[in-house]
Structures are given as C-alpha cells and as structure tokens.
Amino acid sequence: MQHKLFDDTLALLTSLIQGACVNNLTPESGQEVRNADTLERFFADSGAQVQRFEPVPGRVSIAFTVPGSDPQAAPITLLGHTDVVPVDEARWSLDPFSAEVRDGKIYGRGSVDMLFITAVMAAVTREVAREGGLPGTVTFVGLADEEARGGLGAAWLREHHPDAFSWEHCLSETGGAHLPTADGSDAVTVYVGEKGAAQRRIHVRGDAGHGSAPYAKDSSIVKIGEVARRIAEIQPKVSDDDVWRGFVHAFRFDPQTETAVFSGTDYTPLGELAAFGDAISHLSIAQTVLRAGQAINVLPSHAWLELDIRTLPGQSDEDVDALLYEALDGIDVEIEHLICEEATVSPIEHPLYAVLSEVLQELFPGAAVVPTIAAGGSDLRFARRAGGVGYGFAAHARERTLGAVHAQLHSHDEYLHLEDLDLTLQAYDAVVRKFCGDSRGSE
C-alpha cells in the first residue's frame, strides 16, 4: 500500500522537475526562486514558519520550520536542494523537464539528484505542520546552489544566517541503495561522510619564441607533459579505517578476495562499484584541465594543469602538497590552491544514525545497514562543520544497487522508480516521527 502522502509528493516532484532550475555554475543561473515559489505554495496554510533567503536575484533558498512542543526534544533539519545540473538535450529521448511518468518511472533532470528526496522532505514536514507539530522541532530547507558547492546556498546561509535553523541533526542526499553481495544477502547504505576537495592548479614556465625556431628552447609544454606523467603514477595509500573496512566486509567475499579489495590490490570483485570503491578508499587525483599557448606559431612560456583532488577524512592540504612536491621533485613548478575543503564524517554511534538503521531494517528485514562515505560533495558538510551530524539517507527497492542508483546521477534520461519515491517517503516519515518523539509512529 502506498503512503498516504504519495500522490501529493509525486505532484510536488513533478513541479520541481518542471521548474528547470539549471545551475551552470554562474551566479545568474539556477533561478531557484521558481522552485522556492512552488514550495511556498505547497506549504500554504500549513502553519509552518517560512523564511526566504536571496543572496543574489533569483537564487532563493527557503526554510519551513515546525517548532517543537518540548525544548528538550531533539530537532531535525532536512536539507534538500532545488537546483539541478545542465542537460545535453540532444542525448535525451524525451523532454528533460517534462517529468513524464512511464512504466513506473518518472523521468527528468534532477529526479534522482535530488528532487525526489527534496519533495519527500517537504511532504513529511508539511504533514507534521498540519498535525500541529511534534515534541522536537522539524525544519525543511530547500537550498539553492548545491550543484556549485553551495556558495549561494548552504555556505552563504552558514556565513550570513547561521542561526536561521538548527544544524544539529541533518539529513540530505542520498543513501538507501543496496550492495550486490557475494552471498545474496541484503545490505543497504547510509552516507556518514564525504570526501574533501583539494583542487590544485600546477604552473610551469618555459621560453617564449617563434614556432619556427624551437632550437634550445625550454618548452613549457614538455614540462607540463612530464608533470602529467608523474602525477598519473602517484599511488596514494589505501585507507584502513573502519568505514572502508566495513564497506568491503559487507560484500561477504571469501577471505582472499576481501583482502585483495581492502588493500586496493584489485577492485574488480566490486563489479559495477569498482570505481566507487577506488574513489572512497584513498585520496584521488583526476587531471581535468590543461592549458598552454594561443597561436600555433608561438612557443608558449606558460602552461598549467588543473587537478580535481578529493581527500579522505584526516588528510590535510599540507598532506596533498607534500605528495605532489615529492612526485614532481626536480621540476620547477608553482602549485596554486583552488577550492579546498576538508573531508567531513559523522559518527556511527549516534542516536540519529540508530534511528536511520532501525527504519531501514523495518523496511528491509534482515538487511545489514552499511555506513559509507560519498566520493562527491553535499550540503551535509556544512552541518558537520557547524558541530552537528549529517547523514545521507533515502530508501530504494532491494533490486536497486548502489551502482544502479549512481548511474542515474547527472545522466541522460535520468529517471526514478516511483517505488523508490514511496519507500523514501515511508522512511522519512518514520525517521522524523521516531527521532522527534512522536509516540504515535508513522502511517
């Protein structure tokens, strides 16, 4: 039986997809005001307190708070984002903003990342408001600019309105997908942390000159090529922390295979999750941008290479620079810092995590609940930096593996199974009521 709020939640998700709040990383894009207005209409006459935030025109975040009746009860804050990434419309087989429902799926940009969770959060919060509230305060925030790392969304709110709502106990994307275990047992994920960012731009200098006379010139292009070659050979140390160890153990491999995966010797037993396992098990370095020269007949005196580096919890900017300088010893380079943010992680031994685990085991009896970290970023890092906890949480059907869910992120023809919308609605309703002290439980 579908949750009683399913139809309203699906209608809201449809409207949010159709809002087409595409964030192309420029300040004037996104225009999340459209989805903020949709959410405000959705909450009309609910009794929730509304706050709107607009750092630049059109980039609106919106918060709905239902105050608790018991000051001692734990609050919860649901962080949903309302922006989506751009689309290559020529690669879609349907209108990416039509929110078309077909064969038990809803298609559209943002349907998985993360508008379905945002819609669920809103529906559950509105229902709590209509009921008059719970012992603990419930807040839902529709955040702008998450896809550009939150500079006009969560990061801006933390800087300019840090007390607008509680950051103590937060939920956001994504979680709830299943692992393809070796023995067929069920294991479902919760995100407890995410890797950090340590972006670098590496500069080298060489001799300028005419392209017709390269003799004895110090070539910046040859240098940057050597830089790229050496960086490609860096082999960062594989993690030995409990989260990585537990993730591998959840697959229930034989001892020899488990040792090979855990040590980073061979990720192939993870199958569709081999790249994910590689990403979350050690510091990763992706060479993404290369620049040198302008005219074909001019020797460029400057070349640079940009690196998307993602760090594990506990790894610092100093650690990253030491690794790069060691690899590039003997080459005269300048290392420029771009976006730098430390990795964040929340404890597994925490009352909110215990509730998440309890609810997932109610939905999937006998399943192991497996904490993991995200290779990318989310707005949860701002909660953790503020001293709170943040967990990525949703619920997908048993046959939806972590690899299958990840395959939908930023994909062409992105779609969500409606069954997963209903499961996530059930899960959030139960979590909010359990954690905020509703003895009646969820429906």
Side-chain angles (χ1 to χ4, degrees):
M1 178 183 295
Q2 286 181 336
H3 193 281
K4 67 177 183 178
L5 302 179
F6 178 83
D7 289 342
D8 284 354
T9 307
L10 178 57
L12 176 59
L13 173 57
T14 298
S15 296
L16 294 174
I17 293 171
Q18 292 172 344
C21 297
V22 176
N23 187 344
N24 65 12
L25 311 189
T26 61
E28 63 274 10
S29 69
Q31 292 301 301
E32 295 91 343
V33 61
R34 295 191 292 269
N35 278 345
D37 290 346
T38 294
L39 289 167
E40 191 158 11
R41 289 191 295 269
F42 183 78
F43 274 87
D45 302 320
S46 68
Q49 299 174 358
V50 185
Q51 300 174 84
R52 290 173 69 105
F53 310 92
E54 191 169 11
V56 300
R59 308 306 301 272
V60 177
S61 295
I62 188 165
F64 302 89
T65 297
V66 186
S69 59
D70 180 359
Q72 303 304 312
I76 197 167
T77 302
L78 311 177
L79 302 175
H81 70 77
T82 59
D83 61 327
V84 301
V85 297
V87 298
D88 180 354
E89 292 197 41
R91 302 291 299 277
W92 283 65
S93 64
L94 41 68
D95 181 347
F97 303 106
S98 65
E100 180 178 335
V101 175
R102 182 195 305 169
D103 300 326
K105 306 168 188 172
I106 184 168
Y107 288 80
R109 174 56 86 222
S111 55
V112 175
D113 183 13
M114 66 169 286
L115 296 180
F116 88 100
I117 304 177
T118 300
V120 162
M121 291 171 166
V124 169
T125 303
R126 186 182 72 167
E127 187 68 7
V128 169
R130 286 175 166 178
E131 293 173 358
L134 298 172
T137 295
V138 179
T139 300
F140 158 67
V141 192
L143 288 161
D145 205 37
E146 190 275 344
E147 297 292 358
R149 300 194 70 84
L152 297 175
W156 185 87
L157 282 166
R158 278 296 308 150
E159 181 178 356
H160 297 279
H161 299 278
D163 301 319
F165 48 83
S166 172
W167 296 86
E168 187 177 358
H169 309 112
C170 293
L171 299 179
S172 190
E173 57 186 344
T174 177
H178 301 256
L179 300 180
T181 61
D183 64 358
S185 60
D186 194 12
V188 61
T189 54
V190 174
Y191 283 97
V192 299
E194 60 193 60
K195 296 181 79 176
Q199 297 177 353
R200 297 292 187 269
R201 182 181 291 134
I202 300 182
H203 301 265
V204 299
R205 311 287 173 174
D207 294 334
H210 199 286
S212 65
Y215 178 74
K217 296 295 195 224
D218 183 21
S219 171
S220 64
I221 290 179
V222 171
K223 282 183 179 178
I224 206 68
E226 176 63 10
V227 166
R229 186 192 68 79
R230 292 201 196 177
I231 288 174
E233 292 183 346
I234 294 175
Q235 295 184 332
K237 180 182 177 182
V238 174
S239 172
D240 62 356
D241 70 10
D242 290 341
V243 173
W244 170 238
R245 188 181 294 275
F247 179 81
V248 176
H249 184 67
F251 282 81
R252 301 191 180 276
F253 295 125
D254 63 81
Q256 182 177 358
T257 301
E258 180 172 292
T259 298
V261 176
F262 178 71
S263 65
T265 304
D266 183 9
Y267 293 106
T268 59
L270 297 175
E272 64 186 1
L273 291 173
F276 179 76
D278 175 76
I280 67 170
S281 62
H282 56 70
L283 177 146
S284 59
I285 304 175
Q287 305 187 51
T288 54
V289 178
L290 180 63
R291 294 283 187 269
Q294 298 181 51
I296 196 169
N297 62 341
V298 177
L299 299 175
S301 61
H302 178 207
W304 68 94
L305 175 66
E306 292 183 359
L307 309 175
D308 183 3
I309 300 176
R310 306 296 177 111
T311 55
L312 292 175
Q315 294 176 331
S316 67
D317 279 322
E318 291 75 18
D319 295 330
V320 172
D321 288 341
L323 187 68
L324 293 174
Y325 278 121
E326 180 181 6
L328 301 176
D329 184 46
I331 306 175
D332 187 12
V333 299
E334 173 193 341
I335 298 180
E336 177 185 358
H337 287 205
L338 303 177
I339 293 176
C340 298
E341 297 183 293
E342 290 185 356
T344 61
V345 65
S346 294
I348 298 167
E349 299 297 327
H350 189 277
L352 180 53
Y353 184 86
V355 170
L356 301 180
S357 181
E358 178 185 343
V359 168
L360 287 174
Q361 289 174 330
E362 288 173 354
L363 288 173
F364 308 108
V369 178
V370 182
T372 188
I373 64 171
S378 78
D379 287 328
L380 288 171
R381 66 188 183 279
F382 300 106
R384 299 186 190 110
R385 289 178 192 159
V389 296
Y391 301 100
F393 182 72
H396 296 271
R398 170 85 187 267
E399 57 268 29
R400 240 77 77 204
T401 64
L402 184 59
V405 173
H406 278 188
Q408 290 302 314
L409 303 179
H410 301 184
S411 68
H412 306 310
D413 284 354
E414 179 183 352
Y415 66 81
L416 174 81
H417 288 268
L418 296 182
E419 181 183 13
D420 295 347
L421 181 66
D422 186 53
L423 283 168
T424 299
L425 184 55
Q426 293 179 48
Y428 267 88
D429 193 21
V431 166
V432 167
R433 294 178 185 280
K434 288 175 184 286
F435 190 71
C436 291
D438 184 1
S439 60
R440 297 172 295 175
S442 61
E443 298 188 28

